[in-house]
Coordinates of all heavy atoms in Angstrom, one line a residue:
M1 N 25.4 -22.5 -3.8 CA 24.1 -21.9 -3.9 C 23.1 -22.9 -4.1 O 23.2 -23.8 -5.0 CB 24.0 -20.9 -5.1 CG 22.8 -20.1 -5.1 SD 23.2 -18.7 -6.2 CE 21.6 -18.5 -6.8
A2 N 22.1 -23.0 -3.4 CA 21.0 -24.1 -3.5 C 20.1 -23.8 -4.7 O 19.8 -22.6 -5.0 CB 20.2 -24.1 -2.2
T3 N 19.7 -24.8 -5.2 CA 18.8 -24.7 -6.4 C 17.3 -24.7 -5.9 O 17.1 -25.2 -4.9 CB 19.0 -25.9 -7.4 OG1 18.7 -27.1 -6.6 CG2 20.4 -25.9 -7.9
G4 N 16.6 -24.0 -6.6 CA 15.1 -23.9 -6.4 C 14.7 -22.9 -5.4 O 13.6 -22.8 -4.8
T5 N 15.7 -22.0 -5.0 CA 15.4 -20.9 -4.1 C 14.6 -19.8 -4.9 O 14.7 -19.6 -6.0 CB 16.6 -20.3 -3.5 OG1 17.4 -19.7 -4.5 CG2 17.4 -21.3 -2.7
T6 N 13.8 -19.1 -4.1 CA 13.0 -18.0 -4.7 C 13.5 -16.7 -4.2 O 12.8 -15.8 -4.0 CB 11.5 -18.1 -4.3 OG1 11.4 -18.1 -2.9 CG2 10.9 -19.4 -4.9
D7 N 14.9 -16.5 -4.3 CA 15.4 -15.3 -3.8 C 15.4 -14.3 -5.1 O 16.2 -14.4 -6.0 CB 16.9 -15.4 -3.4 CG 17.0 -16.1 -2.1 OD1 16.0 -16.0 -1.4 OD2 18.0 -16.7 -1.8
S8 N 14.5 -13.4 -5.1 CA 14.4 -12.4 -6.1 C 13.8 -11.1 -5.5 O 13.1 -11.2 -4.4 CB 13.6 -12.9 -7.3 OG 12.2 -12.8 -7.0
P9 N 14.0 -10.1 -6.1 CA 13.3 -8.8 -5.6 C 11.8 -8.9 -5.5 O 11.2 -8.1 -4.7 CB 13.7 -7.7 -6.6 CG 15.0 -8.3 -7.2 CD 14.9 -9.7 -7.2
A10 N 11.2 -9.7 -6.3 CA 9.7 -9.8 -6.3 C 9.2 -10.4 -5.0 O 8.0 -10.3 -4.7 CB 9.2 -10.7 -7.4
T11 N 10.0 -11.1 -4.2 CA 9.6 -11.7 -2.9 C 9.4 -10.6 -1.9 O 8.8 -10.8 -0.8 CB 10.6 -12.8 -2.4 OG1 11.8 -12.2 -2.3 CG2 10.6 -14.0 -3.4
L12 N 9.9 -9.4 -2.2 CA 9.8 -8.3 -1.2 C 8.6 -7.4 -1.5 O 8.3 -6.5 -0.6 CB 11.0 -7.5 -1.2 CG 12.3 -8.2 -0.7 CD1 13.5 -7.2 -0.8 CD2 12.1 -8.6 0.7
Y13 N 7.8 -7.7 -2.6 CA 6.7 -6.8 -2.8 C 5.6 -6.8 -1.8 O 5.1 -5.8 -1.4 CB 6.1 -7.2 -4.2 CG 6.9 -6.9 -5.3 CD1 6.8 -7.6 -6.6 CD2 7.8 -5.8 -5.4 CE1 7.5 -7.3 -7.7 CE2 8.6 -5.5 -6.5 CZ 8.4 -6.2 -7.6 OH 9.2 -6.0 -8.7
A14 N 5.3 -8.0 -1.2 CA 4.2 -8.1 -0.2 C 4.6 -7.4 1.1 O 3.8 -6.6 1.6 CB 3.9 -9.6 0.0
P15 N 5.8 -7.7 1.7 CA 6.1 -7.1 3.0 C 6.2 -5.5 2.8 O 5.9 -4.8 3.7 CB 7.4 -7.6 3.3 CG 7.6 -8.9 2.6 CD 6.7 -8.7 1.3
V16 N 6.8 -5.0 1.6 CA 7.0 -3.7 1.4 C 5.5 -3.0 1.3 O 5.3 -1.9 1.8 CB 7.8 -3.4 0.2 CG1 7.8 -1.9 -0.2 CG2 9.2 -3.8 0.5
S17 N 4.6 -3.7 0.6 CA 3.3 -3.2 0.4 C 2.6 -3.0 1.8 O 2.0 -2.1 2.1 CB 2.5 -4.1 -0.4 OG 1.2 -3.7 -0.5
I18 N 2.7 -4.0 2.7 CA 2.2 -4.0 3.9 C 2.7 -2.8 4.8 O 2.0 -2.0 5.5 CB 2.3 -5.3 4.8 CG1 1.2 -6.2 4.2 CG2 2.0 -5.1 6.2 CD1 1.1 -7.6 5.0
G19 N 4.1 -2.8 4.8 CA 4.7 -1.7 5.6 C 4.3 -0.3 5.1 O 4.0 0.5 5.9
L20 N 4.2 -0.1 3.8 CA 3.8 1.2 3.3 C 2.3 1.5 3.6 O 1.9 2.6 3.8 CB 4.1 1.3 1.8 CG 5.6 1.5 1.5 CD1 5.8 1.4 0.0 CD2 6.1 2.9 1.9
G21 N 1.5 0.4 3.6 CA 0.1 0.5 3.9 C -0.1 1.0 5.3 O -1.0 1.8 5.7
V22 N 0.7 0.4 6.2 CA 0.6 0.7 7.6 C 1.1 2.2 7.9 O 0.4 2.9 8.6 CB 1.4 -0.2 8.5 CG1 1.5 0.2 9.9 CG2 0.8 -1.6 8.5
I23 N 2.1 2.5 7.2 CA 2.6 3.9 7.3 C 1.5 4.9 6.8 O 1.3 5.9 7.4 CB 3.9 4.1 6.5 CG1 5.1 3.4 7.3 CG2 4.3 5.6 6.3 CD1 6.4 3.4 6.5
A24 N 0.8 4.6 5.7 CA -0.3 5.3 5.1 C -1.4 5.4 6.2 O -1.9 6.5 6.3 CB -0.7 4.7 3.8
L25 N -1.7 4.3 6.7 CA -2.9 4.4 7.8 C -2.5 5.2 8.9 O -3.4 6.1 9.4 CB -3.2 3.0 8.3 CG -4.0 2.1 7.3 CD1 -4.3 0.8 7.9 CD2 -5.4 2.8 7.0
I26 N -1.3 5.2 9.5 CA -1.0 5.9 10.6 C -0.9 7.4 10.2 O -1.3 8.2 11.1 CB 0.3 5.4 11.3 CG1 0.2 4.0 11.8 CG2 1.0 6.3 12.3 CD1 1.5 3.3 12.2
S27 N -0.3 7.7 9.1 CA -0.1 9.2 8.7 C -1.4 9.8 8.2 O -1.4 11.0 7.9 CB 1.0 9.3 7.7 OG 0.7 8.6 6.5
T28 N -2.5 9.1 8.0 CA -3.7 9.7 7.4 C -4.2 10.8 8.5 O -4.8 11.7 8.1 CB -4.8 8.7 7.3 OG1 -5.0 7.9 8.4 CG2 -4.5 7.9 6.1
F29 N -4.0 10.5 9.7 CA -4.5 11.4 10.8 C -3.5 12.6 11.1 O -3.9 13.5 11.7 CB -4.7 10.7 12.1 CG -5.8 9.6 11.9 CD1 -5.4 8.3 11.9 CD2 -7.1 9.9 11.8 CE1 -6.3 7.2 11.7 CE2 -8.0 8.8 11.6 CZ -7.6 7.5 11.6
F30 N -2.3 12.5 10.6 CA -1.4 13.6 10.8 C -0.9 14.3 9.5 O -0.9 15.5 9.6 CB -0.2 13.0 11.5 CG -0.5 12.2 12.8 CD1 -0.4 10.9 12.9 CD2 -1.0 13.0 13.9 CE1 -0.7 10.2 14.0 CE2 -1.4 12.3 15.0 CZ -1.3 10.9 15.2
L31 N -0.5 13.5 8.6 CA 0.1 14.1 7.3 C -0.6 13.5 6.1 O -0.3 12.5 5.8 CB 1.6 13.9 7.3 CG 2.5 14.4 8.4 CD1 3.9 13.8 8.4 CD2 2.6 15.9 8.3
G32 N -1.5 14.2 5.5 CA -2.2 13.7 4.4 C -1.4 13.5 3.2 O -1.6 12.5 2.4
I33 N -0.4 14.4 2.9 CA 0.5 14.1 1.8 C 1.3 13.0 1.9 O 1.4 12.2 0.9 CB 1.4 15.5 1.6 CG1 0.6 16.7 1.5 CG2 2.4 15.2 0.5 CD1 -0.1 16.9 0.2
L34 N 1.9 12.7 3.1 CA 2.6 11.4 3.3 C 1.7 10.2 3.2 O 2.2 9.2 2.6 CB 3.3 11.4 4.6 CG 4.1 10.2 5.0 CD1 5.4 10.1 4.1 CD2 4.6 10.3 6.4
A35 N 0.5 10.3 3.7 CA -0.4 9.1 3.6 C -0.8 8.9 2.1 O -0.8 7.7 1.8 CB -1.7 9.5 4.4
T36 N -0.9 9.9 1.4 CA -1.3 9.7 0.0 C -0.1 9.1 -0.8 O -0.2 8.1 -1.6 CB -1.7 11.0 -0.7 OG1 -2.8 11.6 0.0 CG2 -2.2 10.7 -2.2
L37 N 1.1 9.5 -0.6 CA 2.2 9.0 -1.2 C 2.5 7.5 -0.8 O 2.8 6.7 -1.6 CB 3.5 9.9 -0.9 CG 4.9 9.4 -1.5 CD1 4.7 9.5 -3.0 CD2 6.0 10.3 -1.0
A38 N 2.5 7.3 0.5 CA 2.8 5.9 1.0 C 1.6 5.0 0.5 O 1.9 3.9 0.2 CB 2.8 5.9 2.4
G39 N 0.4 5.6 0.4 CA -0.7 4.7 0.0 C -0.5 4.3 -1.5 O -0.8 3.2 -1.9
L40 N -0.2 5.3 -2.3 CA 0.0 5.0 -3.7 C 1.2 4.0 -3.9 O 1.1 3.1 -4.8 CB 0.3 6.3 -4.4 CG -0.8 7.3 -4.7 CD1 -0.4 8.5 -5.3 CD2 -1.9 6.6 -5.5
L41 N 2.2 4.1 -3.1 CA 3.3 3.1 -3.3 C 2.8 1.8 -2.8 O 3.3 0.8 -3.4 CB 4.5 3.6 -2.5 CG 5.2 4.8 -3.1 CD1 6.3 5.3 -2.1 CD2 5.9 4.4 -4.4
A42 N 2.1 1.7 -1.7 CA 1.6 0.4 -1.2 C 0.7 -0.2 -2.2 O 0.8 -1.5 -2.5 CB 0.8 0.7 0.1
I43 N -0.1 0.6 -2.9 CA -1.0 0.0 -4.0 C -0.1 -0.5 -5.1 O -0.4 -1.6 -5.7 CB -2.0 1.0 -4.5 CG1 -3.0 1.3 -3.4 CG2 -2.7 0.6 -5.7 CD1 -3.9 2.5 -3.7
T44 N 0.9 0.3 -5.5 CA 1.8 -0.2 -6.5 C 2.5 -1.5 -6.2 O 2.5 -2.4 -7.1 CB 2.8 0.9 -6.9 OG1 2.1 2.2 -7.2 CG2 3.7 0.5 -8.0
F45 N 3.1 -1.5 -5.1 CA 3.7 -2.8 -4.7 C 2.8 -4.0 -4.5 O 3.2 -5.1 -4.8 CB 4.7 -2.6 -3.5 CG 5.9 -1.8 -3.8 CD1 6.2 -0.6 -3.3 CD2 6.9 -2.4 -4.6 CE1 7.3 0.1 -3.5 CE2 8.1 -1.8 -4.8 CZ 8.3 -0.5 -4.3
G46 N 1.6 -3.7 -4.0 CA 0.7 -4.8 -3.9 C 0.2 -5.3 -5.3 O 0.2 -6.6 -5.4
V47 N 0.0 -4.5 -6.2 CA -0.3 -4.9 -7.6 C 0.9 -5.7 -8.2 O 0.7 -6.7 -8.9 CB -0.8 -3.8 -8.5 CG1 -0.9 -4.1 -9.9 CG2 -2.1 -3.2 -8.0
L48 N 2.0 -5.2 -8.1 CA 3.2 -5.8 -8.6 C 3.4 -7.2 -7.9 O 3.8 -8.2 -8.6 CB 4.5 -5.0 -8.3 CG 4.7 -3.8 -9.2 CD1 5.9 -3.0 -8.8 CD2 4.8 -4.2 -10.7
G49 N 3.1 -7.4 -6.7 CA 3.2 -8.6 -6.0 C 2.2 -9.7 -6.5 O 2.4 -10.8 -6.6
L50 N 1.0 -9.1 -6.8 CA -0.1 -9.9 -7.3 C 0.2 -10.5 -8.8 O -0.2 -11.6 -9.1 CB -1.4 -9.3 -7.2 CG -2.0 -9.1 -5.9 CD1 -3.3 -8.2 -5.9 CD2 -2.3 -10.4 -5.3
V51 N 0.8 -9.6 -9.6 CA 1.0 -10.0 -10.9 C 2.4 -10.7 -11.2 O 2.7 -11.1 -12.3 CB 0.8 -8.8 -11.9 CG1 -0.6 -8.3 -11.8 CG2 1.8 -7.8 -11.7
S52 N 3.2 -10.7 -10.2 CA 4.6 -11.3 -10.4 C 4.5 -12.8 -10.6 O 3.6 -13.4 -10.1 CB 5.5 -10.9 -9.2 OG 5.0 -11.6 -8.0
S53 N 5.4 -13.3 -11.3 CA 5.4 -14.8 -11.6 C 6.1 -15.6 -10.4 O 5.8 -16.8 -10.3 CB 6.2 -15.0 -12.8 OG 7.5 -14.6 -12.7
V54 N 6.6 -14.8 -9.5 CA 7.3 -15.5 -8.3 C 6.1 -15.7 -7.3 O 5.2 -14.9 -7.1 CB 8.3 -14.6 -7.6 CG1 8.9 -15.2 -6.4 CG2 9.4 -14.3 -8.6
E55 N 6.1 -16.9 -6.7 CA 5.1 -17.3 -5.7 C 5.3 -16.5 -4.4 O 6.3 -16.7 -3.6 CB 5.2 -18.8 -5.4 CG 4.0 -19.3 -4.8 CD 2.7 -19.2 -5.6 OE1 2.7 -19.2 -6.8 OE2 1.7 -18.9 -5.0
V56 N 4.5 -15.4 -4.2 CA 4.6 -14.6 -3.0 C 3.3 -14.9 -2.2 O 2.4 -15.4 -2.6 CB 4.8 -13.1 -3.4 CG1 6.1 -12.9 -4.1 CG2 3.6 -12.6 -4.2
N57 N 3.3 -14.2 -1.0 CA 2.2 -14.3 -0.1 C 1.1 -13.3 -0.6 O 1.2 -12.1 -0.4 CB 2.6 -14.0 1.3 CG 1.5 -14.4 2.2 OD1 0.3 -14.7 1.9 ND2 1.8 -14.3 3.5
R58 N 0.2 -13.9 -1.4 CA -0.8 -13.0 -2.0 C -1.8 -12.4 -0.9 O -2.3 -11.2 -1.2 CB -1.7 -13.8 -3.0 CG -0.8 -14.4 -4.0 CD -1.5 -14.4 -5.3 NE -0.7 -15.2 -6.3 CZ 0.1 -14.5 -7.1 NH1 0.3 -13.2 -7.0 NH2 0.8 -15.2 -8.0
V59 N -2.0 -12.9 0.2 CA -2.8 -12.3 1.3 C -2.1 -11.0 1.8 O -2.8 -10.1 1.9 CB -3.0 -13.3 2.4 CG1 -3.7 -12.6 3.6 CG2 -3.7 -14.5 2.0
Q60 N -0.8 -11.1 1.9 CA -0.1 -9.8 2.2 C -0.3 -8.7 1.2 O -0.4 -7.6 1.5 CB 1.4 -10.2 2.5 CG 1.7 -10.8 3.8 CD 3.1 -11.1 4.0 OE1 4.0 -10.8 3.1 NE2 3.4 -11.5 5.2
C61 N -0.3 -9.2 0.0 CA -0.5 -8.2 -1.2 C -1.8 -7.6 -1.1 O -1.9 -6.3 -1.3 CB -0.2 -8.9 -2.5 SG 1.5 -9.3 -2.8
W62 N -2.8 -8.4 -0.8 CA -4.2 -7.8 -0.7 C -4.3 -6.9 0.5 O -5.0 -5.9 0.4 CB -5.2 -8.9 -0.7 CG -5.5 -9.6 -2.0 CD1 -5.1 -10.9 -2.4 CD2 -6.2 -9.0 -3.1 NE1 -5.5 -11.0 -3.7 CE2 -6.2 -9.9 -4.1 CE3 -6.8 -7.7 -3.3 CZ2 -6.8 -9.6 -5.4 CZ3 -7.3 -7.5 -4.5 CH2 -7.3 -8.3 -5.5
I63 N -3.7 -7.3 1.6 CA -3.8 -6.4 2.8 C -3.0 -5.1 2.5 O -3.5 -4.0 2.8 CB -3.1 -7.1 4.0 CG1 -4.0 -8.3 4.4 CG2 -2.9 -6.2 5.2 CD1 -3.3 -9.2 5.5
G64 N -1.9 -5.1 1.8 CA -1.3 -3.9 1.4 C -2.0 -3.0 0.4 O -2.1 -1.8 0.6
L65 N -2.8 -3.7 -0.5 CA -3.6 -3.0 -1.3 C -4.8 -2.3 -0.6 O -5.1 -1.1 -0.8 CB -4.2 -3.9 -2.3 CG -3.5 -4.2 -3.6 CD1 -4.1 -5.3 -4.4 CD2 -3.3 -2.9 -4.4
A66 N -5.3 -3.0 0.4 CA -6.5 -2.4 1.2 C -6.0 -1.3 2.0 O -6.7 -0.2 2.1 CB -7.1 -3.5 2.0
T67 N -4.9 -1.5 2.7 CA -4.4 -0.3 3.6 C -3.9 0.8 2.8 O -4.1 1.9 3.2 CB -3.3 -0.9 4.5 OG1 -2.3 -1.4 3.8 CG2 -3.9 -1.9 5.6
G68 N -3.4 0.5 1.7 CA -3.0 1.6 0.8 C -4.1 2.4 0.2 O -4.1 3.7 0.1
A69 N -5.2 1.7 -0.1 CA -6.4 2.4 -0.7 C -7.0 3.2 0.4 O -7.4 4.3 0.1 CB -7.4 1.3 -1.2
V70 N -7.1 2.8 1.6 CA -7.6 3.6 2.7 C -6.7 4.8 3.0 O -7.2 5.9 3.2 CB -7.8 2.8 4.0 CG1 -8.1 3.6 5.2 CG2 -8.8 1.7 3.8
G71 N -5.4 4.6 2.9 CA -4.4 5.7 3.1 C -4.6 6.7 2.0 O -4.2 7.9 2.2
V72 N -5.0 6.4 0.8 CA -5.2 7.4 -0.3 C -6.6 8.0 -0.2 O -6.6 9.2 -0.3 CB -4.9 6.7 -1.6 CG1 -5.4 7.6 -2.7 CG2 -3.5 6.3 -1.9
L73 N -7.6 7.2 0.0 CA -9.0 7.7 -0.1 C -9.4 8.5 1.1 O -10.2 9.4 1.0 CB -9.9 6.6 -0.3 CG -9.8 5.8 -1.6 CD1 -10.7 4.6 -1.7 CD2 -10.1 6.8 -2.8
F74 N -8.9 8.2 2.3 CA -9.3 8.9 3.5 C -8.9 10.3 3.5 O -9.8 11.2 3.7 CB -8.9 8.2 4.8 CG -9.5 8.7 6.0 CD1 -10.8 8.6 6.3 CD2 -8.7 9.6 6.9 CE1 -11.4 9.1 7.5 CE2 -9.2 10.1 8.0 CZ -10.6 9.9 8.3
P75 N -7.7 10.7 3.2 CA -7.4 12.1 3.2 C -8.1 12.8 2.0 O -8.4 14.0 2.2 CB -5.8 12.2 2.9 CG -5.4 10.8 3.4 CD -6.5 9.9 3.2
V76 N -8.3 12.2 0.9 CA -9.1 12.9 -0.2 C -10.6 13.1 0.2 O -11.1 14.1 0.1 CB -9.0 12.0 -1.5 CG1 -10.0 12.5 -2.5 CG2 -7.6 12.0 -2.0
W77 N -11.1 12.1 0.9 CA -12.5 12.1 1.4 C -12.6 13.3 2.4 O -13.5 14.2 2.4 CB -13.0 10.8 2.0 CG -14.3 11.0 2.6 CD1 -15.5 11.1 2.1 CD2 -14.5 11.1 4.2 NE1 -16.4 11.2 3.1 CE2 -15.8 11.2 4.3 CE3 -13.5 11.1 5.2 CZ2 -16.3 11.3 5.7 CZ3 -14.1 11.2 6.4 CH2 -15.4 11.3 6.6
F78 N -11.5 13.3 3.3 CA -11.6 14.3 4.4 C -11.4 15.7 3.7 O -12.1 16.7 4.1 CB -10.3 14.1 5.3 CG -10.3 14.9 6.5 CD1 -11.2 14.6 7.5 CD2 -9.4 15.9 6.7 CE1 -11.3 15.3 8.7 CE2 -9.4 16.6 7.9 CZ -10.3 16.3 8.9
L79 N -10.6 15.9 2.8 CA -10.4 17.2 2.0 C -11.7 17.6 1.3 O -12.1 18.8 1.5 CB -9.3 17.1 1.0 CG -9.0 18.3 0.2 CD1 -8.4 19.4 1.1 CD2 -8.0 18.1 -0.9
F80 N -12.3 16.8 0.6 CA -13.5 17.1 0.0 C -14.7 17.3 0.9 O -15.6 18.2 0.7 CB -14.0 16.0 -1.1 CG -13.3 16.0 -2.3 CD1 -13.1 14.8 -3.0 CD2 -12.7 17.1 -2.8 CE1 -12.4 14.8 -4.2 CE2 -11.9 17.1 -3.9 CZ -11.8 15.9 -4.7
G81 N -14.7 16.7 2.0 CA -15.7 16.9 3.1 C -15.7 18.2 3.7 O -16.7 18.8 4.0
Y82 N -14.5 18.8 3.9 CA -14.3 20.0 4.6 C -14.2 21.2 3.6 O -14.3 22.4 4.0 CB -13.1 20.0 5.5 CG -13.5 19.3 6.8 CD1 -13.1 18.0 7.1 CD2 -14.2 20.0 7.8 CE1 -13.5 17.4 8.2 CE2 -14.5 19.3 9.0 CZ -14.2 18.1 9.2 OH -14.5 17.5 10.4
T83 N -14.0 21.0 2.4 CA -14.0 22.1 1.4 C -15.2 22.1 0.5 O -15.3 23.0 -0.3 CB -12.7 21.9 0.4 OG1 -12.9 20.7 -0.3 CG2 -11.4 22.0 1.2
G84 N -16.2 21.4 0.8 CA -17.4 21.3 0.0 C -17.4 20.7 -1.3 O -18.2 21.0 -2.2
G85 N -16.4 19.8 -1.5 CA -16.3 19.1 -2.7 C -15.7 19.8 -3.9 O -15.8 19.4 -5.1
V86 N -15.1 20.9 -3.6 CA -14.4 21.7 -4.8 C -13.0 21.3 -4.9 O -12.3 21.1 -4.0 CB -14.6 23.3 -4.4 CG1 -13.9 24.1 -5.6 CG2 -16.0 23.6 -4.3

């Protein structure tokens, strides 16, 4: 086993965040519940990636956060827009 490798579960936070963010973006137009769930998970993994002590790709974490936020906020905005904000 090589020394100095960064093999840990924390190195997967950024790619998982982006993947869930993309799923949230795609499903916003079809399934609002799935978009909200995937968006919340993308936000969670993005934040975990940013605060982890392992050196991960922070740009991917920020992209996952942004796409997850859109995946959560767009269905909520759409729901409030068509129900009159109730």
Side-chain angles (χ1 to χ4, degrees):
M1 185 164 155
T3 60
T5 60
T6 58
D7 291 337
S8 76
T11 58
L12 294 176
Y13 289 151
V16 169
S17 177
I18 282 186
L20 287 169
V22 168
I23 290 171
L25 281 179
I26 292 171
S27 63
T28 54
F29 300 104
F30 304 110
L31 301 168
I33 300 290
L34 179 64
T36 304
L37 178 64
L40 288 173
L41 287 172
I43 291 170
T44 302
F45 282 114
V47 168
L48 285 174
L50 288 174
V51 300
S52 69
S53 61
V54 177
E55 198 57 39
V56 296
N57 193 349
R58 301 214 184 270
V59 173
Q60 287 182 352
C61 290
W62 282 110
I63 292 171
L65 274 170
T67 55
V70 170
V72 169
L73 293 176
F74 188 72
V76 171
W77 171 78
F78 191 72
L79 179 68
F80 283 152
Y82 280 101
T83 60
V86 177

